[in-house]
Amino acid sequence: MESILCVDIPVQMISCTDTNGKITPMRFRFRDKTGEVITVIIDNILSENQGNNRTGANFSCSATIYGSRKTFSLWYNYFAHEWRLSRLYL
């Protein structure tokens, strides 16, 4: 059984937006609980939901974090212009 950690951490994101407004997250940074800044390069976007929600976009991604492959969810709020790491699948 897969464990889900709901973290809701603000992140500094580097993303690309095409001429049609489609957002592609590329890499992000966040502070872990020790205060260290962790940089994560997104390897794969597994799913995305940009058009159905008027408040934001949700991305399910995978990357190597702390030396192991992790799947996680990122949320972009259209109104606040804010990225958050919302879920981490352990």
Side-chain angles (χ1 to χ4, degrees):
M1 178 179 223
E2 190 172 38
S3 177
I4 300 172
L5 178 63
C6 293
V7 289
D8 197 35
I9 299 171
V11 298
Q12 296 175 338
M13 176 65 70
I14 294 180
S15 64
C16 181
T17 306
D18 69 11
T19 57
N20 295 320
K22 182 180 179 221
I23 303 167
T24 303
M26 299 171 73
R27 72 175 184 249
F28 64 94
R29 297 189 309 186
F30 68 97
R31 286 196 187 275
D32 67 5
K33 52 186 165 181
T34 66
E36 182 181 357
V37 176
I38 306 298
T39 300
V40 178
I41 298 172
I42 297 170
D43 296 329
N44 195 7
I45 298 172
L46 306 171
S47 67
E48 59 185 75
N49 183 359
Q50 294 187 50
N52 299 338
N53 191 335
R54 292 182 179 213
T55 60
N58 193 37
F59 299 88
S60 180
C61 305
S62 66
T64 302
I65 304 174
Y66 296 118
S68 63
R69 188 101 165 138
K70 300 288 185 190
T71 302
F72 50 89
S73 294
L74 293 164
W75 171 255
Y76 178 68
N77 183 313
Y78 294 141
F79 300 108
H81 304 287
E82 176 183 62
W83 284 92
R84 297 187 85 77
L85 176 62
S86 58
R87 290 187 176 99
L88 182 61
Y89 301 91
L90 306 173

